[in-house]
Amino acid sequence: MMSATTASGCPSGLSPGAEADIAQDPAAFVTYSRGRRALDILIRGASCGGCLSKIEGAVRQLPGVETARLNLSTGRMRVEWTGHLAPGLIMSAITRLGYGAAAVGEAAADDGTAKTERRLLIAMVVAAIATVNIMVVSEPLWFATDVSPETRTLLHWVSALFAIPATAYSGRPFFESALASVRARRLNMDVPISLAVILAILISVYETARGGQYAYFDASVMLLFFLLIGRFLDARLRRRAYAAANALAALQTATTTRLGPAGRAEAVRASDVQQGDILLIAAGERLAVDAEVITGASDIDLRMVTGEVVPVTAYAGQIIHAGAVNLTAPVRVRALAPASRSLAADVARLLEAGEQKKSAYRRLADRAAEAYIPQVHLAAAATFIGWLAAGASLSQAAFTAITVLIITCPCAIALAAPMVQVAAAGRLFRHGAYLSSGDALERIAGVNHVVFDKTGTLTLGDPGLVGVYAPELIGRAALLARASRHPFSRAIAEAAGPGPVADGVSEHPGEGVSGRIDGRMARLGSAQFCGQAALPGGVLWFVMEGSDPVAFRFEDRLRPDTRRTIDRLRKMGLTVELLSGDSEERVARTAAEAGIGTWSAAASPVAKAERLAALERSGLRVLMVGDGLNDAAALAGAHASLAPGGAVDVSRLASDCVYAGDSLASVALIVRLARIARRRMRENFAFAAVYNILAIPVAVVGWATPVVAAAAMSLSSAVVVLNALRLSVMKLEEAAS
Amino acid sequence: MIVLAYMLAAAMCLGALGLVAFIWSLRSGQFDDPAGAAARILEDHDPAP
């Protein structure tokens, strides 16, 4: 849940982060049943027992609150109360303590994955209990030399008593998947697993019934147990990553104010907005849907939509896309589409095409399964025919052939990729990076060219003051700047630090701020507003009666570790490119600062996607890193893609991996881990292949007794698992953020 | 040989008991918040009613 950057120390007492600026009315998330209201809140920054009791204590003190319970593992808190407590008070009680809080819908979205995880867990425990009991019974069969045939048969039946129900229950995830894959006329790894387990049980029952020496009850249940460990860990990690990525999303989700027919304002979730609704967008609020401006004058921040750093001035009739942030004054807008369809049609089409392309990727494990299955089944068939030809009885030949299937059973192969996947995803999780799909790691490992978006990805997204100004000058300008949400004003306020606001300040949308400083008229704003000459680039004029006018210059600053990250990527053999929707001049400067030689500017969303397609046609496998709406199509179409946690919803969904925190170093870390993970997978497959090459002859000539099978299977699985776990413990000194 | 029968019955019962106990603990939400449970044990005031 914690990202790497927030994990150190509890934030109690600190001021909330910048994300808290995005307006959100929790009233839209409150549920009501039988006299009680309830609200689910996602808490950011809570990490210890102290945080827990402080937060719960503060909320319980509010009037009418009956329960307040924070789940420290998931960061979710549920508050239930009666009476007329305003939900905003709950949120502010938490944020006052220094924690981030965002209202979320009730926890229902991930029910499917939670159910799968629980089912796998119970299947695993059933297999474990059966394995232990069969082991106890099998021990004399393996090692005692004086077991009478009657006792042996009795012990076999006892094993069967455990093995048959356990296999029937715990094997179901494999049997169902195998059946589905055969129906689709394909072979996956579950087919040979199911075949081996079922045949092992059948031949064992047959052998036991006729008093035979060997039975494979132990091997079949143990096999299921090992495989279920891998499956369960995989499912658990996937759900946790999904929940963590959702938590990042919840911090971004906005609510909005809908104006009813009588002009009555009500808070609604952004996802509930319908086409044609009239919305009141407050200053600081992020637009959740595509909309047309009806009335109001304000500055609109389009960073997330087009990548442009300098805000534009809104006018009636203007169409604004979802993701834009209203800066200066409230505006009324008419929703043009619900949130789910707030995307330019061509971008939506490109997104779909990209997803189709990605689903066509064939995983390493699937390719291994396709190579492995015919080889082993041919070996088994050859054994059967060979023993018959050599004069063995039908049952003897069948028994040996099935032994081949069991001993080569794809335990090591089936665990080879998933265990690496689990170890690598767990490692990334600890670093605040959340994988969204199973094959994401493999695709990220295969890239050789990285395309970065500029605004918000390479840069911080917020412009900063450049140049040297006298501290008292900045202090005076800040008296006006603190009253505005315009990014330039905020940069001045940030440079000056906390302080007062001048008297009589008023903000003029699209122009600037005016007020009185020490009794003198002062203005901070555009050249026209201040009566000065227009200058190129990001400039804010500051004029005051009796002083010389000053021009403040602003630049979108690089993230502090951008240069280092780019160098590291180059050292890893990757080529780097910058692709931005911002103006040519600004992109050129950022490229020079970041040390990137290849760049293009003023690229539309479609142009970005086309550029990526062209790169892929030239034989490159591209990793796209971007956060804005204009990157979504490119993210979906790239061979692999990453998005920072602050990205817009569409981009986050279109990417393979989301990373939290302000550091770009995560990009290098993710690529590096993915490559190491791929190497581990290949090592595991190589080991499994060698194991099979050694095991098949032993089984073919009939030397594989149950104890040999059990030992070989556990040993090979252990080797593969331990090799995968190296990923969890290895040092990542220079790549760590 | 009768001793084997006893052992058998005992093993099955113990196995079943373990399974039932595990499923019960899972159902009653004991694994829902391991981090919170570890932190709450250090609180020295009574839990809220």
Side-chain angles (χ1 to χ4, degrees), chain A residues 119-120 123-124 126-127 163-179 190 193-194 197-198 220-221 223-225 227-228 231:
Chain A
R119 200 181 143 204
L120 284 171
M124 183 184 88
V126 168
I164 293 171
T167 308
Y169 181 77
S170 299
R172 262 169 48 204
F174 302 97
F175 304 155
E176 283 164 13
S177 151
L179 213 61
D190 290 333
I193 291 171
S194 304
V197 169
I198 292 172
S220 59
V221 182
L223 170 72
L224 285 179
F225 175 45
L227 291 171
L228 282 165
R231 295 270 157 116

PDB file of all heavy atoms in Angstrom, chain A residues 119-120 123-124 126-127 163-179 190 193-194 197-198 220-221 223-225 227-228 231:
ATOM      1  N   ARG A 119     -10.578 -19.106  -2.848  1.00  0.00           N
ATOM      2  CA  ARG A 119     -10.790 -20.461  -3.338  1.00  0.00           C
ATOM      3  C   ARG A 119      -9.447 -21.178  -3.493  1.00  0.00           C
ATOM      4  O   ARG A 119      -9.292 -22.335  -3.103  1.00  0.00           O
ATOM      5  CB  ARG A 119     -11.493 -20.373  -4.690  1.00  0.00           C
ATOM      6  CG  ARG A 119     -12.181 -21.646  -5.053  1.00  0.00           C
ATOM      7  CD  ARG A 119     -12.846 -21.521  -6.405  1.00  0.00           C
ATOM      8  NE  ARG A 119     -12.706 -22.800  -7.061  1.00  0.00           N
ATOM      9  CZ  ARG A 119     -12.737 -22.956  -8.368  1.00  0.00           C
ATOM     10  NH1 ARG A 119     -12.894 -21.916  -9.138  1.00  0.00           N
ATOM     11  NH2 ARG A 119     -12.603 -24.138  -8.888  1.00  0.00           N
ATOM     12  N   LEU A 120      -8.470 -20.480  -4.041  1.00  0.00           N
ATOM     13  CA  LEU A 120      -7.147 -21.078  -4.208  1.00  0.00           C
ATOM     14  C   LEU A 120      -6.513 -21.372  -2.858  1.00  0.00           C
ATOM     15  O   LEU A 120      -5.847 -22.389  -2.677  1.00  0.00           O
ATOM     16  CB  LEU A 120      -6.242 -20.133  -5.008  1.00  0.00           C
ATOM     17  CG  LEU A 120      -6.501 -20.086  -6.509  1.00  0.00           C
ATOM     18  CD1 LEU A 120      -5.696 -18.973  -7.151  1.00  0.00           C
ATOM     19  CD2 LEU A 120      -6.151 -21.416  -7.155  1.00  0.00           C
ATOM     20  N   ALA A 123      -8.152 -24.471  -1.433  1.00  0.00           N
ATOM     21  CA  ALA A 123      -7.669 -25.622  -2.199  1.00  0.00           C
ATOM     22  C   ALA A 123      -6.254 -25.979  -1.773  1.00  0.00           C
ATOM     23  O   ALA A 123      -5.901 -27.148  -1.624  1.00  0.00           O
ATOM     24  CB  ALA A 123      -7.728 -25.311  -3.691  1.00  0.00           C
ATOM     25  N   MET A 124      -5.433 -24.955  -1.551  1.00  0.00           N
ATOM     26  CA  MET A 124      -4.043 -25.188  -1.163  1.00  0.00           C
ATOM     27  C   MET A 124      -3.972 -25.853   0.215  1.00  0.00           C
ATOM     28  O   MET A 124      -3.207 -26.799   0.429  1.00  0.00           O
ATOM     29  CB  MET A 124      -3.284 -23.862  -1.135  1.00  0.00           C
ATOM     30  CG  MET A 124      -1.826 -23.997  -0.811  1.00  0.00           C
ATOM     31  SD  MET A 124      -1.051 -22.385  -0.702  1.00  0.00           S
ATOM     32  CE  MET A 124      -1.321 -21.998   0.999  1.00  0.00           C
ATOM     33  N   VAL A 126      -6.311 -27.655   1.703  1.00  0.00           N
ATOM     34  CA  VAL A 126      -6.805 -29.034   1.590  1.00  0.00           C
ATOM     35  C   VAL A 126      -5.688 -29.929   1.060  1.00  0.00           C
ATOM     36  O   VAL A 126      -5.410 -31.004   1.611  1.00  0.00           O
ATOM     37  CB  VAL A 126      -8.042 -29.078   0.666  1.00  0.00           C
ATOM     38  CG1 VAL A 126      -8.385 -30.503   0.298  1.00  0.00           C
ATOM     39  CG2 VAL A 126      -9.223 -28.411   1.349  1.00  0.00           C
ATOM     40  N   ALA A 127      -4.996 -29.475   0.010  1.00  0.00           N
ATOM     41  CA  ALA A 127      -3.910 -30.271  -0.560  1.00  0.00           C
ATOM     42  C   ALA A 127      -2.791 -30.445   0.459  1.00  0.00           C
ATOM     43  O   ALA A 127      -2.174 -31.510   0.545  1.00  0.00           O
ATOM     44  CB  ALA A 127      -3.381 -29.607  -1.832  1.00  0.00           C
ATOM     45  N   ALA A 163      -6.199 -39.022  -0.729  1.00  0.00           N
ATOM     46  CA  ALA A 163      -5.803 -38.454  -2.017  1.00  0.00           C
ATOM     47  C   ALA A 163      -6.990 -38.189  -2.937  1.00  0.00           C
ATOM     48  O   ALA A 163      -7.027 -37.150  -3.616  1.00  0.00           O
ATOM     49  CB  ALA A 163      -4.806 -39.371  -2.701  1.00  0.00           C
ATOM     50  N   ILE A 164      -7.960 -39.107  -2.967  1.00  0.00           N
ATOM     51  CA  ILE A 164      -9.020 -38.963  -3.968  1.00  0.00           C
ATOM     52  C   ILE A 164      -9.884 -37.733  -3.698  1.00  0.00           C
ATOM     53  O   ILE A 164     -10.048 -36.890  -4.575  1.00  0.00           O
ATOM     54  CB  ILE A 164      -9.836 -40.269  -4.093  1.00  0.00           C
ATOM     55  CG1 ILE A 164      -8.911 -41.341  -4.695  1.00  0.00           C
ATOM     56  CG2 ILE A 164     -11.062 -40.075  -4.981  1.00  0.00           C
ATOM     57  CD1 ILE A 164      -9.488 -42.726  -4.691  1.00  0.00           C
ATOM     58  N   PRO A 165     -10.426 -37.562  -2.462  1.00  0.00           N
ATOM     59  CA  PRO A 165     -11.204 -36.326  -2.238  1.00  0.00           C
ATOM     60  C   PRO A 165     -10.359 -35.059  -2.373  1.00  0.00           C
ATOM     61  O   PRO A 165     -10.816 -34.057  -2.926  1.00  0.00           O
ATOM     62  CB  PRO A 165     -11.739 -36.473  -0.811  1.00  0.00           C
ATOM     63  CG  PRO A 165     -11.163 -37.698  -0.242  1.00  0.00           C
ATOM     64  CD  PRO A 165     -10.442 -38.454  -1.290  1.00  0.00           C
ATOM     65  N   ALA A 166      -9.114 -35.116  -1.890  1.00  0.00           N
ATOM     66  CA  ALA A 166      -8.268 -33.922  -1.969  1.00  0.00           C
ATOM     67  C   ALA A 166      -8.006 -33.537  -3.414  1.00  0.00           C
ATOM     68  O   ALA A 166      -8.070 -32.354  -3.785  1.00  0.00           O
ATOM     69  CB  ALA A 166      -6.951 -34.150  -1.231  1.00  0.00           C
ATOM     70  N   THR A 167      -7.726 -34.540  -4.262  1.00  0.00           N
ATOM     71  CA  THR A 167      -7.486 -34.250  -5.675  1.00  0.00           C
ATOM     72  C   THR A 167      -8.747 -33.715  -6.331  1.00  0.00           C
ATOM     73  O   THR A 167      -8.703 -32.753  -7.100  1.00  0.00           O
ATOM     74  CB  THR A 167      -7.025 -35.517  -6.404  1.00  0.00           C
ATOM     75  OG1 THR A 167      -5.933 -36.081  -5.695  1.00  0.00           O
ATOM     76  CG2 THR A 167      -6.610 -35.211  -7.820  1.00  0.00           C
ATOM     77  N   ALA A 168      -9.875 -34.330  -5.997  1.00  0.00           N
ATOM     78  CA  ALA A 168     -11.130 -33.905  -6.616  1.00  0.00           C
ATOM     79  C   ALA A 168     -11.409 -32.447  -6.271  1.00  0.00           C
ATOM     80  O   ALA A 168     -11.885 -31.677  -7.108  1.00  0.00           O
ATOM     81  CB  ALA A 168     -12.274 -34.789  -6.136  1.00  0.00           C
ATOM     82  N   TYR A 169     -11.083 -32.033  -5.042  1.00  0.00           N
ATOM     83  CA  TYR A 169     -11.362 -30.652  -4.653  1.00  0.00           C
ATOM     84  C   TYR A 169     -10.260 -29.701  -5.114  1.00  0.00           C
ATOM     85  O   TYR A 169     -10.510 -28.712  -5.805  1.00  0.00           O
ATOM     86  CB  TYR A 169     -11.553 -30.548  -3.139  1.00  0.00           C
ATOM     87  CG  TYR A 169     -11.867 -29.142  -2.720  1.00  0.00           C
ATOM     88  CD1 TYR A 169     -13.149 -28.626  -2.909  1.00  0.00           C
ATOM     89  CD2 TYR A 169     -10.886 -28.308  -2.190  1.00  0.00           C
ATOM     90  CE1 TYR A 169     -13.426 -27.320  -2.583  1.00  0.00           C
ATOM     91  CE2 TYR A 169     -11.171 -26.997  -1.865  1.00  0.00           C
ATOM     92  CZ  TYR A 169     -12.441 -26.507  -2.058  1.00  0.00           C
ATOM     93  OH  TYR A 169     -12.714 -25.214  -1.744  1.00  0.00           O
ATOM     94  N   SER A 170      -9.026 -30.011  -4.718  1.00  0.00           N
ATOM     95  CA  SER A 170      -7.936 -29.066  -4.967  1.00  0.00           C
ATOM     96  C   SER A 170      -7.534 -29.001  -6.436  1.00  0.00           C
ATOM     97  O   SER A 170      -6.927 -28.027  -6.871  1.00  0.00           O
ATOM     98  CB  SER A 170      -6.705 -29.456  -4.148  1.00  0.00           C
ATOM     99  OG  SER A 170      -7.019 -29.414  -2.786  1.00  0.00           O
ATOM    100  N   GLY A 171      -7.859 -30.065  -7.186  1.00  0.00           N
ATOM    101  CA  GLY A 171      -7.449 -30.071  -8.588  1.00  0.00           C
ATOM    102  C   GLY A 171      -8.372 -29.276  -9.480  1.00  0.00           C
ATOM    103  O   GLY A 171      -8.052 -29.016 -10.645  1.00  0.00           O
ATOM    104  N   ARG A 172      -9.515 -28.857  -8.932  1.00  0.00           N
ATOM    105  CA  ARG A 172     -10.522 -28.233  -9.798  1.00  0.00           C
ATOM    106  C   ARG A 172     -10.023 -27.009 -10.552  1.00  0.00           C
ATOM    107  O   ARG A 172     -10.327 -26.882 -11.738  1.00  0.00           O
ATOM    108  CB  ARG A 172     -11.772 -27.915  -8.988  1.00  0.00           C
ATOM    109  CG  ARG A 172     -12.823 -28.985  -9.170  1.00  0.00           C
ATOM    110  CD  ARG A 172     -13.952 -28.862  -8.195  1.00  0.00           C
ATOM    111  NE  ARG A 172     -14.463 -27.496  -8.107  1.00  0.00           N
ATOM    112  CZ  ARG A 172     -15.112 -27.022  -7.048  1.00  0.00           C
ATOM    113  NH1 ARG A 172     -15.313 -27.797  -6.010  1.00  0.00           N
ATOM    114  NH2 ARG A 172     -15.558 -25.784  -7.024  1.00  0.00           N
ATOM    115  N   PRO A 173      -9.267 -26.104  -9.915  1.00  0.00           N
ATOM    116  CA  PRO A 173      -8.783 -24.947 -10.698  1.00  0.00           C
ATOM    117  C   PRO A 173      -8.017 -25.379 -11.941  1.00  0.00           C
ATOM    118  O   PRO A 173      -8.134 -24.751 -12.996  1.00  0.00           O
ATOM    119  CB  PRO A 173      -7.870 -24.216  -9.716  1.00  0.00           C
ATOM    120  CG  PRO A 173      -8.318 -24.640  -8.360  1.00  0.00           C
ATOM    121  CD  PRO A 173      -8.872 -26.007  -8.508  1.00  0.00           C
ATOM    122  N   PHE A 174      -7.257 -26.483 -11.835  1.00  0.00           N
ATOM    123  CA  PHE A 174      -6.468 -26.949 -12.977  1.00  0.00           C
ATOM    124  C   PHE A 174      -7.362 -27.644 -13.998  1.00  0.00           C
ATOM    125  O   PHE A 174      -7.242 -27.419 -15.200  1.00  0.00           O
ATOM    126  CB  PHE A 174      -5.375 -27.913 -12.499  1.00  0.00           C
ATOM    127  CG  PHE A 174      -4.466 -27.307 -11.492  1.00  0.00           C
ATOM    128  CD1 PHE A 174      -4.661 -27.521 -10.137  1.00  0.00           C
ATOM    129  CD2 PHE A 174      -3.427 -26.488 -11.879  1.00  0.00           C
ATOM    130  CE1 PHE A 174      -3.835 -26.937  -9.200  1.00  0.00           C
ATOM    131  CE2 PHE A 174      -2.589 -25.900 -10.954  1.00  0.00           C
ATOM    132  CZ  PHE A 174      -2.806 -26.124  -9.609  1.00  0.00           C
ATOM    133  N   PHE A 175      -8.267 -28.501 -13.492  1.00  0.00           N
ATOM    134  CA  PHE A 175      -9.126 -29.244 -14.412  1.00  0.00           C
ATOM    135  C   PHE A 175      -9.984 -28.279 -15.230  1.00  0.00           C
ATOM    136  O   PHE A 175     -10.146 -28.440 -16.439  1.00  0.00           O
ATOM    137  CB  PHE A 175     -10.032 -30.211 -13.643  1.00  0.00           C
ATOM    138  CG  PHE A 175      -9.282 -31.185 -12.762  1.00  0.00           C
ATOM    139  CD1 PHE A 175      -9.889 -31.761 -11.646  1.00  0.00           C
ATOM    140  CD2 PHE A 175      -7.958 -31.523 -13.039  1.00  0.00           C
ATOM    141  CE1 PHE A 175      -9.193 -32.636 -10.836  1.00  0.00           C
ATOM    142  CE2 PHE A 175      -7.253 -32.402 -12.235  1.00  0.00           C
ATOM    143  CZ  PHE A 175      -7.877 -32.964 -11.121  1.00  0.00           C
ATOM    144  N   GLU A 176     -10.541 -27.267 -14.547  1.00  0.00           N
ATOM    145  CA  GLU A 176     -11.417 -26.321 -15.250  1.00  0.00           C
ATOM    146  C   GLU A 176     -10.650 -25.553 -16.322  1.00  0.00           C
ATOM    147  O   GLU A 176     -11.120 -25.388 -17.443  1.00  0.00           O
ATOM    148  CB  GLU A 176     -12.035 -25.332 -14.254  1.00  0.00           C
ATOM    149  CG  GLU A 176     -13.173 -25.957 -13.469  1.00  0.00           C
ATOM    150  CD  GLU A 176     -13.539 -25.157 -12.234  1.00  0.00           C
ATOM    151  OE1 GLU A 176     -13.092 -23.995 -12.114  1.00  0.00           O
ATOM    152  OE2 GLU A 176     -14.278 -25.701 -11.386  1.00  0.00           O
ATOM    153  N   SER A 177      -9.458 -25.111 -15.943  1.00  0.00           N
ATOM    154  CA  SER A 177      -8.647 -24.354 -16.903  1.00  0.00           C
ATOM    155  C   SER A 177      -8.225 -25.240 -18.075  1.00  0.00           C
ATOM    156  O   SER A 177      -8.239 -24.814 -19.233  1.00  0.00           O
ATOM    157  CB  SER A 177      -7.426 -23.776 -16.191  1.00  0.00           C
ATOM    158  OG  SER A 177      -6.357 -23.633 -17.071  1.00  0.00           O
ATOM    159  N   ALA A 178      -7.892 -26.506 -17.786  1.00  0.00           N
ATOM    160  CA  ALA A 178      -7.481 -27.420 -18.848  1.00  0.00           C
ATOM    161  C   ALA A 178      -8.635 -27.658 -19.807  1.00  0.00           C
ATOM    162  O   ALA A 178      -8.477 -27.628 -21.034  1.00  0.00           O
ATOM    163  CB  ALA A 178      -7.014 -28.737 -18.235  1.00  0.00           C
ATOM    164  N   LEU A 179      -9.819 -27.862 -19.225  1.00  0.00           N
ATOM    165  CA  LEU A 179     -11.008 -28.121 -20.045  1.00  0.00           C
ATOM    166  C   LEU A 179     -11.291 -26.934 -20.958  1.00  0.00           C
ATOM    167  O   LEU A 179     -11.552 -27.086 -22.149  1.00  0.00           O
ATOM    168  CB  LEU A 179     -12.191 -28.363 -19.114  1.00  0.00           C
ATOM    169  CG  LEU A 179     -13.248 -29.349 -19.613  1.00  0.00           C
ATOM    170  CD1 LEU A 179     -12.616 -30.718 -19.811  1.00  0.00           C
ATOM    171  CD2 LEU A 179     -14.397 -29.427 -18.616  1.00  0.00           C
ATOM    172  N   ASP A 190      -2.014 -26.484 -17.945  1.00  0.00           N
ATOM    173  CA  ASP A 190      -2.921 -27.222 -17.076  1.00  0.00           C
ATOM    174  C   ASP A 190      -3.355 -28.546 -17.686  1.00  0.00           C
ATOM    175  O   ASP A 190      -3.837 -29.428 -16.977  1.00  0.00           O
ATOM    176  CB  ASP A 190      -4.144 -26.352 -16.747  1.00  0.00           C
ATOM    177  CG  ASP A 190      -3.765 -25.195 -15.836  1.00  0.00           C
ATOM    178  OD1 ASP A 190      -2.782 -25.349 -15.093  1.00  0.00           O
ATOM    179  OD2 ASP A 190      -4.427 -24.147 -15.879  1.00  0.00           O
ATOM    180  N   ILE A 193      -0.827 -31.185 -16.595  1.00  0.00           N
ATOM    181  CA  ILE A 193      -0.948 -31.308 -15.135  1.00  0.00           C
ATOM    182  C   ILE A 193      -2.170 -32.152 -14.796  1.00  0.00           C
ATOM    183  O   ILE A 193      -2.085 -33.147 -14.066  1.00  0.00           O
ATOM    184  CB  ILE A 193      -1.051 -29.914 -14.467  1.00  0.00           C
ATOM    185  CG1 ILE A 193       0.266 -29.163 -14.582  1.00  0.00           C
ATOM    186  CG2 ILE A 193      -1.450 -30.051 -13.008  1.00  0.00           C
ATOM    187  CD1 ILE A 193       0.193 -27.710 -14.155  1.00  0.00           C
ATOM    188  N   SER A 194      -3.317 -31.773 -15.377  1.00  0.00           N
ATOM    189  CA  SER A 194      -4.552 -32.497 -15.088  1.00  0.00           C
ATOM    190  C   SER A 194      -4.420 -33.954 -15.507  1.00  0.00           C
ATOM    191  O   SER A 194      -4.811 -34.867 -14.776  1.00  0.00           O
ATOM    192  CB  SER A 194      -5.724 -31.857 -15.830  1.00  0.00           C
ATOM    193  OG  SER A 194      -5.814 -30.497 -15.491  1.00  0.00           O
ATOM    194  N   VAL A 197      -2.159 -35.883 -13.070  1.00  0.00           N
ATOM    195  CA  VAL A 197      -2.764 -36.097 -11.751  1.00  0.00           C
ATOM    196  C   VAL A 197      -3.867 -37.143 -11.837  1.00  0.00           C
ATOM    197  O   VAL A 197      -3.925 -38.095 -11.044  1.00  0.00           O
ATOM    198  CB  VAL A 197      -3.307 -34.761 -11.202  1.00  0.00           C
ATOM    199  CG1 VAL A 197      -4.173 -34.999  -9.984  1.00  0.00           C
ATOM    200  CG2 VAL A 197      -2.155 -33.838 -10.846  1.00  0.00           C
ATOM    201  N   ILE A 198      -4.743 -37.003 -12.823  1.00  0.00           N
ATOM    202  CA  ILE A 198      -5.880 -37.921 -12.925  1.00  0.00           C
ATOM    203  C   ILE A 198      -5.391 -39.335 -13.244  1.00  0.00           C
ATOM    204  O   ILE A 198      -5.811 -40.317 -12.616  1.00  0.00           O
ATOM    205  CB  ILE A 198      -6.884 -37.416 -13.980  1.00  0.00           C
ATOM    206  CG1 ILE A 198      -7.529 -36.125 -13.472  1.00  0.00           C
ATOM    207  CG2 ILE A 198      -7.944 -38.465 -14.255  1.00  0.00           C
ATOM    208  CD1 ILE A 198      -8.398 -35.421 -14.481  1.00  0.00           C
ATOM    209  N   SER A 220       0.786 -37.329  -6.615  1.00  0.00           N
ATOM    210  CA  SER A 220      -0.221 -36.496  -7.275  1.00  0.00           C
ATOM    211  C   SER A 220      -0.702 -35.381  -6.354  1.00  0.00           C
ATOM    212  O   SER A 220      -0.901 -34.248  -6.796  1.00  0.00           O
ATOM    213  CB  SER A 220      -1.386 -37.351  -7.761  1.00  0.00           C
ATOM    214  OG  SER A 220      -1.975 -38.018  -6.688  1.00  0.00           O
ATOM    215  N   VAL A 221      -0.889 -35.685  -5.060  1.00  0.00           N
ATOM    216  CA  VAL A 221      -1.371 -34.632  -4.158  1.00  0.00           C
ATOM    217  C   VAL A 221      -0.274 -33.607  -3.874  1.00  0.00           C
ATOM    218  O   VAL A 221      -0.524 -32.404  -3.835  1.00  0.00           O
ATOM    219  CB  VAL A 221      -1.906 -35.237  -2.844  1.00  0.00           C
ATOM    220  CG1 VAL A 221      -2.443 -34.147  -1.946  1.00  0.00           C
ATOM    221  CG2 VAL A 221      -3.002 -36.231  -3.140  1.00  0.00           C
ATOM    222  N   LEU A 223       2.090 -32.744  -5.868  1.00  0.00           N
ATOM    223  CA  LEU A 223       2.186 -31.916  -7.067  1.00  0.00           C
ATOM    224  C   LEU A 223       1.153 -30.781  -7.024  1.00  0.00           C
ATOM    225  O   LEU A 223       1.476 -29.609  -7.242  1.00  0.00           O
ATOM    226  CB  LEU A 223       1.957 -32.798  -8.292  1.00  0.00           C
ATOM    227  CG  LEU A 223       1.793 -32.082  -9.615  1.00  0.00           C
ATOM    228  CD1 LEU A 223       3.125 -31.526 -10.053  1.00  0.00           C
ATOM    229  CD2 LEU A 223       1.253 -33.025 -10.662  1.00  0.00           C
ATOM    230  N   LEU A 224      -0.092 -31.148  -6.685  1.00  0.00           N
ATOM    231  CA  LEU A 224      -1.144 -30.126  -6.613  1.00  0.00           C
ATOM    232  C   LEU A 224      -0.796 -29.087  -5.549  1.00  0.00           C
ATOM    233  O   LEU A 224      -0.991 -27.885  -5.753  1.00  0.00           O
ATOM    234  CB  LEU A 224      -2.488 -30.769  -6.283  1.00  0.00           C
ATOM    235  CG  LEU A 224      -3.164 -31.517  -7.417  1.00  0.00           C
ATOM    236  CD1 LEU A 224      -4.479 -32.108  -6.926  1.00  0.00           C
ATOM    237  CD2 LEU A 224      -3.414 -30.587  -8.589  1.00  0.00           C
ATOM    238  N   PHE A 225      -0.276 -29.554  -4.422  1.00  0.00           N
ATOM    239  CA  PHE A 225       0.056 -28.644  -3.333  1.00  0.00           C
ATOM    240  C   PHE A 225       1.102 -27.612  -3.785  1.00  0.00           C
ATOM    241  O   PHE A 225       0.907 -26.403  -3.636  1.00  0.00           O
ATOM    242  CB  PHE A 225       0.558 -29.453  -2.132  1.00  0.00           C
ATOM    243  CG  PHE A 225       1.045 -28.604  -0.988  1.00  0.00           C
ATOM    244  CD1 PHE A 225       0.317 -27.510  -0.554  1.00  0.00           C
ATOM    245  CD2 PHE A 225       2.235 -28.908  -0.343  1.00  0.00           C
ATOM    246  CE1 PHE A 225       0.768 -26.736   0.494  1.00  0.00           C
ATOM    247  CE2 PHE A 225       2.689 -28.142   0.709  1.00  0.00           C
ATOM    248  CZ  PHE A 225       1.959 -27.053   1.126  1.00  0.00           C
ATOM    249  N   LEU A 227       1.913 -26.668  -6.799  1.00  0.00           N
ATOM    250  CA  LEU A 227       1.397 -25.768  -7.834  1.00  0.00           C
ATOM    251  C   LEU A 227       0.431 -24.748  -7.250  1.00  0.00           C
ATOM    252  O   LEU A 227       0.411 -23.595  -7.655  1.00  0.00           O
ATOM    253  CB  LEU A 227       0.689 -26.572  -8.930  1.00  0.00           C
ATOM    254  CG  LEU A 227       1.633 -27.418  -9.782  1.00  0.00           C
ATOM    255  CD1 LEU A 227       0.838 -28.333 -10.693  1.00  0.00           C
ATOM    256  CD2 LEU A 227       2.547 -26.527 -10.600  1.00  0.00           C
ATOM    257  N   LEU A 228      -0.359 -25.195  -6.257  1.00  0.00           N
ATOM    258  CA  LEU A 228      -1.331 -24.270  -5.672  1.00  0.00           C
ATOM    259  C   LEU A 228      -0.639 -23.164  -4.874  1.00  0.00           C
ATOM    260  O   LEU A 228      -1.151 -22.049  -4.799  1.00  0.00           O
ATOM    261  CB  LEU A 228      -2.330 -25.028  -4.795  1.00  0.00           C
ATOM    262  CG  LEU A 228      -3.413 -25.752  -5.589  1.00  0.00           C
ATOM    263  CD1 LEU A 228      -4.145 -26.759  -4.715  1.00  0.00           C
ATOM    264  CD2 LEU A 228      -4.396 -24.757  -6.192  1.00  0.00           C
ATOM    265  N   ARG A 231       0.091 -20.662  -7.492  1.00  0.00           N
ATOM    266  CA  ARG A 231      -1.138 -20.012  -7.967  1.00  0.00           C
ATOM    267  C   ARG A 231      -1.691 -19.045  -6.930  1.00  0.00           C
ATOM    268  O   ARG A 231      -2.129 -17.949  -7.247  1.00  0.00           O
ATOM    269  CB  ARG A 231      -2.241 -21.051  -8.245  1.00  0.00           C
ATOM    270  CG  ARG A 231      -1.942 -21.984  -9.351  1.00  0.00           C
ATOM    271  CD  ARG A 231      -2.422 -21.457 -10.684  1.00  0.00           C
ATOM    272  NE  ARG A 231      -1.627 -22.120 -11.688  1.00  0.00           N
ATOM    273  CZ  ARG A 231      -2.131 -22.950 -12.585  1.00  0.00           C
ATOM    274  NH1 ARG A 231      -3.410 -23.124 -12.663  1.00  0.00           N
ATOM    275  NH2 ARG A 231      -1.331 -23.557 -13.430  1.00  0.00           N
TER     276      ARG A 231
END
